[in-house]
Amino acid sequence: MGGGARELCGYLAALGGWVSALAAAVLPQWRQSSYAGDAIITAVGLHEGLWMSCAAQSTGQVQCRLHDSLLSLDVHIQTSRALMVISLLLGFFGIIVSVVGMKCTKVGEEDPVTKSRIAVAGGVLFILSGLCSLAAVSLYATQVTYEFFRESAVPINARYEFGSALFVGWGAAGLSMLGGSLLCCSCPAKERRAQQYHRQTQPSTSREYV
């Protein structure tokens, strides 16, 4: 796979990861009602996310309510919120920087070495974005797992388990880090650096012999 095709594949993968991370951050299904146990309650299904909680009736009606207070939320929700916002910001800047540094764009093509370094910087931003998404989703999943298995008077069918947004977030983190890694492979080759150095030093050498 050529350098340009590798960059394009990495950019598309990272862009898909950023869009998936945005969807995961907005979705309210970070945790959902558990249907484990003997007495299964299916009349109302509860979903909770970073920004809102929803109740789905068996008739198909869904009612959602935004979290009223930021400071009253649990620490893991506040931390996951912050990490997802940072992830989206890093990914947004990575999208802009990578477009400038990719070989298939015309911006800065007169200096291919600097252009490749810009692409690498975009890849690093995507990798950091994926790591933030991974940390946010994993932290939330750890808390859901702890609350599900801890000793409590709450019956199993009234507890929460993983929601679909967690799996979307894990997939988004994987795509972002994969795309960023492919973009980081755009590091300038040693041969190109040597050619550039040779072109810069050749005129001064010829003047010495004149």
Side-chain angles (χ1 to χ4, degrees):
M1 183 184 294
R6 182 172 58 245
E7 284 183 355
L8 183 59
C9 291
Y11 181 79
L12 292 177
L15 181 61
W18 185 82
V19 174
S20 300
L22 179 61
V26 174
L27 286 174
Q29 287 86 10
W30 279 63
R31 67 175 185 173
Q32 62 186 14
S33 298
S34 176
Y35 297 104
D38 298 329
I40 300 177
I41 302 174
T42 58
V44 180
L46 300 178
H47 305 275
E48 289 190 7
L50 299 179
W51 313 99
M52 66 180 68
S53 58
C54 298
Q57 306 290 336
S58 58
T59 58
Q61 183 180 6
V62 179
Q63 296 179 342
C64 294
R65 181 175 61 87
L66 294 174
H67 295 316
D68 297 328
S69 175
L70 172 64
L71 299 179
S72 64
L73 294 175
D74 295 334
V75 176
H76 71 281
I77 298 179
Q78 297 183 30
T79 306
S80 297
R81 270 188 178 185
L83 288 172
M84 290 302 296
V85 171
I86 294 173
S87 172
L88 293 174
L89 289 176
L90 289 173
F92 177 76
F93 289 118
I95 291 173
I96 298 175
V97 173
S98 299
V99 168
V100 177
M102 291 174 62
K103 294 183 177 67
C104 58
T105 60
K106 300 296 184 180
V107 182
E109 59 182 353
E110 66 277 357
D111 190 355
V113 176
T114 303
K115 191 175 178 67
S116 298
R117 290 173 179 172
I118 294 175
V120 171
V124 171
L125 289 175
F126 279 125
I127 292 176
L128 293 176
S129 174
L131 289 175
C132 288
S133 298
L134 181 63
V137 176
S138 299
L139 174 64
Y140 198 97
T142 302
Q143 184 65 26
V144 172
T145 304
Y146 169 74
E147 292 180 356
F148 185 87
F149 288 105
R150 71 176 178 179
E151 296 292 334
S152 175
V154 179
I156 294 180
N157 55 7
R159 300 179 187 179
Y160 290 94
E161 58 185 26
F162 293 170
S164 58
L166 293 181
F167 300 99
V168 175
W170 277 317
L175 284 175
S176 296
M177 289 188 290
L178 174 62
S181 299
L182 291 176
L183 286 172
C184 286
C185 294
S186 302
C187 188
K190 294 181 179 179
E191 293 80 6
R192 186 180 301 170
R193 294 177 182 175
Q195 291 176 2
Q196 185 184 25
Y197 178 77
H198 178 71
R199 287 196 299 268
Q200 293 176 352
T201 56
Q202 189 173 6
S204 60
T205 305
S206 60
R207 286 196 299 268
E208 290 177 0
Y209 283 100
V210 173

